[in-house]
Each structure stands twice: as C-alpha cells, then as structure tokens.
Amino acid sequence: MTSSFKFLSSPFLLLLILHCATTTLSQTTAPAPAPPGPTNITKILEKASQYTILLRLFRMTQVGDQINTQLNNSDQGITVFAPTDNAFSGLKAGSLNSLSDQEKVELVQFHVVPTFISTSQFQTVSNPLRTQAGESTHYKFPLNITTSGNQVNISTGVVDATVANTIYSDGSLAVYQVDKVLLPMSLFGPPAPAPAPEPKKTKKKSNADENTPSSNDGVVNADASGTVSFDRQLHGSIAGVIVKTWDFEEWDLSKADEVVEIGLPIIAFRYDGGP
C-alpha cells in the first residue's frame, strides 16, 4: 500500500515540477507591453464619432497635425472646443464654402486655445481668451467664457455656445464638445467702423508774418511823373491822407485823372501840377 502510493505520486510530482518551470520561463521571456503612443487629437475625435466635418477641416487646414506637434513638444497644453456634425449643419448654407483657405485655417484655429483649461478653471479664466487664430480684440477673434453653476457658456460676439460635455482630458489636452460652431467676429461679424478723421491742423502765423506789411498798407506814394499809388493796410481805418501840393475832391470822379480804390469811401485825386 505504501509502495503503491509512492509509485503513483512520483510521476505526479514530476509533472507538477515541469509545469511550474515552464510557466516561470514563459513569464520571464514575455516582451514588456509597448508604451502608450503620443496624444493624437485626430484619433480622439474619431473614437468619439460625430465629428466628421471637424476632422475633415483638421486635415484640410493641417491644424490637427499642428496640435499633435505642439502636444508632444510643449508643456503648456491645449484646449479644443469641438463642434459636432449637428452644430455644423446649423450654419447657413454655403458658410464654409464661401471662406478662403486662409479663413478656414483661422476658423479652425479659433476653436483651439494654446493652454490647458480644466473644467474648474473655466470659472477663473481671464476674458477674452486668446486662441490660436490670433488677436483677441473686439473686431478680430474675441472669445469670452462665462459660467453659471456647472454650465460653461462661450460667446464670440456672433454666436453664444455651450460646453455640452468633456470628450477627453489628461492634464495636457482637454477636448470639449460644444453645441455650436464658434464663429469669430473677424469672419462673420459686422465690419469694423472706419477710424474717425484727424482734426485739421491750423497753421499758426509767425510773428514775422504778422509784422510784415501787405502789398497795400494805406500809404500814398507819388513818383516823379505824378502817378499816385496807394498801399492799403487793413489793420484799422485810414485817419487821413496828406499829399503836398495836391488838391483832391471826394466823389468828383469827372475831374479825376486817376481813381484809386482804397476801400470805402472812394477818393478821387486830381493833379494840378506844381512841385
């Protein structure tokens, strides 16, 4: 009885030892799992579905590649607001087709903020947010965030949108679903008003100009031929005119050899000869 038990147990023990050795060997030689690949915005949106139009714009404008490059070469992170296909279908017919290639780039970049923003940080962000589209002044690419409880609202000056849910967030990339396409003022808003004209500058007279007599300064001149000329000056009224050996009569134009207008009244002079 005892010998029979020893006989039966020996093969069983041998098989058990071989099984354990094989299992240990397979565990030590198995390859380590491959590290996770770099973050890819395109794959994230493809997995989430309902973003066909946004993905097509990402590829067309190459903004998707720019996001992936920045994610893997920067510590600032990125926030993406992703409109669904239903959001794009709410646009006016031809809105996208009417844009130039550069304007399509700006439209897509307007949905990308070059910093990571968590859901809790929406309550403390400084408006307007600067997107990758560029300048955030009123008639360019302003993006303003407001919150009401847990609801996050986005205003562009053209449309008001709401963050519906979080698609993806890992501390470096945040992707939020929005219910409307974010239309920037620069592309879809009213044109900026024309700048006000500058006031006309009046030329200030110099002292030299003020002191320089004009061509007529109210002085009577006579040359050797007896010709009379007047220089009129309009700084005040003419008190009187004195001409040596000259007789003059007012308003007797029939006797005047020469009439000179010096203002009102008109004075006629007649030369009677003499030195």
Side-chain angles (χ1 to χ4, degrees), residues 174-196:
V175 184
Y176 299 103
Q177 176 184 326
V178 291
D179 61 349
K180 292 182 181 179
V181 180
L182 304 182
L183 304 178
M185 287 284 289
S186 176
L187 302 180
F188 296 92

Side-chain angles (χ1 to χ4, degrees), residues 3-74:
S3 59
S4 176
F5 174 77
K6 290 180 179 179
F7 177 78
L8 292 174
S9 62
S10 296
F12 177 76
L13 181 62
L14 180 61
L15 290 173
L16 181 62
I17 293 173
L18 289 174
H19 175 74
C20 293
T22 304
T23 303
T24 302
L25 181 62
S26 63
Q27 289 178 347
T28 55
T29 57
T39 305
N40 188 300
I41 182 64
T42 302
K43 292 182 179 179
I44 292 171
L45 292 176
E46 287 175 346
K47 183 177 180 180
S49 69
Q50 67 179 333
Y51 297 98
T52 305
I53 299 176
L54 181 60
L55 283 168
R56 185 166 69 244
L57 287 172
F58 271 162
R59 295 187 181 98
M60 182 187 307
T61 61
Q62 299 184 346
V63 172
D65 293 338
Q66 295 173 6
I67 292 174
N68 293 331
T69 301
Q70 184 174 345
L71 283 172
N72 295 285
N73 294 279
S74 174

Side-chain angles (χ1 to χ4, degrees), residues 81-241:
F81 297 107
T84 62
D85 291 338
N86 287 335
F88 278 100
S89 65
L91 295 176
K92 292 182 179 180
S95 295
L96 293 180
N97 293 334
S98 64
L99 299 177
S100 66
D101 291 343
Q102 179 57 36
E103 288 173 337
K104 289 177 182 177
V105 171
E106 293 174 348
L107 175 63
V108 177
Q109 289 178 331
F110 189 58
H111 292 73
V112 182
V113 179
T115 55
F116 174 81
I117 304 176
S118 65
T119 53
S120 61
Q121 289 175 321
F122 281 128
Q123 299 180 358
T124 59
V125 294
S126 298
N127 288 318
L129 283 178
R130 185 179 180 86
T131 67
Q132 286 191 339
E135 190 176 350
S136 59
T137 54
H138 181 68
Y139 287 97
K140 290 295 185 179
F141 300 95
L143 190 70
N144 294 283
I145 301 292
T146 57
T147 58
S148 178
N150 294 327
Q151 180 174 308
V152 180
N153 304 310
I154 305 174
S155 177
T156 71
V158 179
V159 297
D160 296 320
T162 302
V163 174
N165 60 64
T166 302
I167 301 172
Y168 180 87
S169 181
D170 63 0
S172 178
L173 171 65
V175 184
Y176 299 103
Q177 176 184 326
V178 291
D179 61 349
K180 292 182 181 179
V181 180
L182 304 182
L183 304 178
M185 287 284 289
S186 176
L187 302 180
F188 296 92
E198 296 183 0
K200 294 182 178 180
K201 297 180 179 179
T202 57
K203 184 177 180 181
K204 186 178 180 181
K205 290 185 177 181
S206 63
N207 293 334
D209 293 338
E210 294 178 353
N211 296 329
T212 301
S214 60
S215 59
N216 297 319
D217 59 7
V219 179
V220 181
N221 297 319
D223 57 17
S225 63
T227 302
V228 179
S229 62
F230 287 85
D231 291 327
R232 183 175 54 192
Q233 184 177 9
L234 299 181
H235 296 299
S237 62
I238 301 176
V241 180

